[in-house]
Amino acid sequence: METHAHEATHTAAHTEHHHHEHPSQSFVEKYMFSMDHKIISKQFLFTAMFMAFAAAIMSVLFRLQLAWPGQQSSVMHFFLGDRWAKGGVLDPNMYLGLVTIHGTIMVFFLLTGGLSGTFANLLIPLQVGARDMASPMMNMLSYWFFFISSLIMFISLFIETGPASAGWTIYPPLSALPQAIPGSGAGMTLWLTSIALFVVSSLLGGLNYIVTVVNLRTIGMKMTRLPLTIWALLITAILGVLSFPVLFGAAILLIFDRSFGTSFYLSDIYIGGQALSETGGSPILFEHLFWFLGHPEVYIVIMPAFGIMSEIISINARKPIFGYRAMIGSMLSIAFLAFIVWGHHMFVSGMNPFLGSVFVFTTLLIAIPSAVKAFNYITTLWKGSITFNPQLLFVVGAVSTFISGGLTGIILADSALDVAVHGTYFVVAHFHIVMGLSAVLAMFGGVYHWFPKMFGRMMNKKLGYWHFWLTFICAYGVFLPMHFLGLAGVPRRYYTNDAYAPWAKLQDINVIVSIFAIVGVLSQIIFFVNFFYSMSKGTKSAQNPWDANTLEWTTPIVPGHGNWEGDLPVVHRWAYDYSKPGKAHDFVPQTVPMEEGELDEGEHS
Amino acid sequence: MIKLLVYIAIALTVVLLFQLMRIYQLSSEIKGKNIGMANEKDNRSQGRASLIFVLGFFIFLIWLIVRFKDDMLPVAASDVGKTSDNLFMFNWVIIFIVFFITTFMLFFFAYKYAKTAKNPTAYFYPHNDKLELIWTVVPSIALAVIVIYGLSLWGKMTEKASDNALNIQLYAKQFDFTVRYSGADNKLGVTNYKMIDDATNPLGMDSTDKSGWDDVVVHGELHMPVGREINIQCNARDVMHGMYFPHFREQINCVPGMSTYMHFVPTITTDSMRTIMHDTAYDYILVCNRVCGSGHYNMFLKVVVDTKAQFEKWLATKTPQFDAINKRSHGGAVTMK
Ligand code: HEM
Ligand SMILES: [Cu+2]
Ligand SMILES: [Cu+2]
């Protein structure tokens, strides 16, 4: 896939480049160890797409098992072979391995590395008016750490003892003791190594994004004129820089416990007929460290999606985003609160109940700015003049899932109710809808929207519509019914649920879910075909195909090194002057000077 | 061989799809259509699709509720569970109101304000401070009510158990739960993980602690008397386990190296619940709800809520662990130092 992609850009680049570019640059320098933010953005996108593809196949495999438990399946055997699917029946250890790696890839590799990596790299320089990132070298390293980290995670699927299997949250002692589960052997070592490298990548990237936004804005690009995409990516990067090191620390301590006999997380354990010598550690310490990253992490996932949603809704509704400043304010307060709510994942951990109460309070506080965002999106559509490009559908879908999933968060935030559904499919439904779907839909929207900027060509809209509706309907088809499993008390991470009679009756739900899941995954073929076809053969893009105001549409159609030929653009207004009364067009690019007496809306809205 | 065929089939399909797209694109370009950007016809049809979607979405949700409502957990069988169910209902009402209104508005606006000849321009409306204040303050008030209501229950759930609560221990290991009743003194003897011996002393009870002498260890079932507060001490031997009682709406983790606690009053006996459910085989259950290894999905314990008399009768049939050990190893009286 990598090479294919590169060849394609290669052709596109050669037919359309018409500017300063070192003719001596070899293929390797230009497309592999490139320091150009636009190439790096594509590298992130392709790597993430590959990883997500693998993770999606995993989800099909475990959904097959859940809908038709223990049935022989040639699909299962095709992918897992005799080692993990003897006779086509999935091994229970591999079931856990699959859900663990699926979750890890989707959260970290697709929605953190992939989403931020793609759009921060592509958009930050282009939308703030910079020639590249502050440190192109660090940027390149950020990608290559991400690549190696992805590679290690992927390879861990193929080792003899299987991949890490303790869930994406890798709670010790399970993750620390190979005696407890085979996946905690070499698989877990690879998982921890991969994530440690991932953190390095994320820090290199994040610091770079922050510095670039703070220092390299072009003349006139005040903070109050930044597009919300950039605000979102900036806040995301800050969250990442502050929280990922804690995950790194947690992982290092776990590595010590696993390999060097320390007992940070281990205490009084008897396993495999043996009493271990470790005492004095606490698994709860790990939970605190993990969720101190883990909760900000979910906002690291959703913030870039917020940015993309704001931008695309505004452009396609031909209206300014409603409440620009409220949008920034809500993102800032979400970012602040994101650091003081982690305990809501730990209501059943045995931590002090008073501490639990505090986390109930802070968690419900964070629902307020979230609600404001949803209302503002809806109001932006109100009295718009909406162009239904595929990306608009995707972000409307993302707003819908954000609402649906956010609302069930209110139940989970109430500790007294959480204990009734914690660890069940209700939680699985909640976070897939609010985080998984919203972010994936927004990411798709972003790809459709900025595809012309990446490749100079358009994607096919008809296929885009098919892709959207199938994906969206299947997405709800998968996750709505899961709430009911959760309300019946069915725990997550169970290989089958038929051991308890009242749950066996719910098998219908599992069948519905799995069918939607399989159709949903298959409908991504539409996207892949559209994407790879259009990349090399699609209709050529116009200069500013969506009539947008932001700076990226003032560069050449396929920008070369340095982005703008000649001087950098100068900014005179905010990014959301759509359908402004008294203007000739329904959009006013940021580079157009203010007329006498015109209001700078970014200062007021 | 089969693998190879699968790969070839996939490759051919991709080539075919690419060719189809090529033909479609060329024919559209000849007709002068832009296949990348939405036109008025798309706006109308996709707008309509949005409206149809939201209606279908609501119907699907309502169908799910009607179809599966009887398969949800039955009425809560504990004191805290009852309050919990009320709180649940209260939250659901608020959530559904907000859900239906906002979701409908979202898709309805998309439909209504599609760009067409009738609606060619948008209304420039960058902000409205009053509106924004309203939808910050109203949710805040609603959430404040939810917090207060919720925390009052949380307080009740997590306060110290009353003195006359029945003390029992639940001990989790891969992949089962063991129960220990505290005997006549209602006090659990101390344990030490180094004393664990699977054959004779699976919980690692310390024989020097007299309060443990009358403790009764039971495998395979948890019995509780109805109407009396139960105070459960949870421990784990190897990895973390989760102790989840869906019917009592209670849950806590069992963590190696520390004790966690939960208490509640069972309010409905198993027999009564069977009547309520019209199912003579219906049982309460305790499930492990923290992934703990390959057998996690099989880690259950049957739970029986008895009347007081039934419970006492049942417990009387069990012998304290130390009696059993002594009978086996010394064939005689208990000798403890
Ligand atoms: C209204 C806002 C929200 C509230 C009140 C809320 C509340 C909660 C609570 C209390 C939990 C813990 C449930 C449990 O484990 O029993 C939870 C889980 C989770 N939430 Fe949310 N949430 C909200 C929004 C979000 C958003 C925006 C995201 C991501 C973008 C998100 C992602 C997650 C994830 C990933 C988990 C589960 C992690 C796991 O156990 O594997 N939530 N949420
Ligand atoms: Cu959280
Ligand atoms: Cu378990």
Side-chain angles (χ1 to χ4, degrees), chain A residues 168-169 291 295 298-299 301-302 344-345 347 363-364 366-367 370 402 406 409-410 412-413 418 421-423 427 430-431 434-435 492-493:
Chain A
W168 79 281
T169 53
W291 288 114
H295 188 85
V298 306
Y299 287 98
V301 166
I302 202 68
H344 64 218
H345 298 273
F347 291 137
T363 303
L364 287 169
I366 211 169
S370 309
F402 187 69
I410 293 177
L412 297 173
D418 180 60
V421 286
H422 172 87
V427 174
H430 158 72
F431 73 77
V434 72
M435 167 171 84
R492 67 197 277 210
R493 294 172 178 156

Side-chain angles (χ1 to χ4, degrees), chain B residues 113-130:
Chain B
Y113 298 106
K115 187 185 193 97
T116 57
K118 273 194 235 125
N119 181 32
T121 48
Y123 168 50
F124 188 81
Y125 190 53
H127 69 117
N128 177 336
D129 294 344
K130 202 162 121 207

Side-chain angles (χ1 to χ4, degrees), chain A residues 468-503:
Chain A
F468 171 72
W469 287 111
L470 283 170
T471 306
F472 191 50
I473 290 170
C474 289
Y476 269 129
V478 169
F479 296 112
L480 264 198
M482 275 190 195
H483 292 101
F484 293 83
L485 288 174
L487 293 173
V490 181
R492 67 197 277 210
R493 294 172 178 156
Y494 266 34
Y495 175 68
T496 65
N497 332 314
D498 49 13
Y500 181 52
W503 295 343

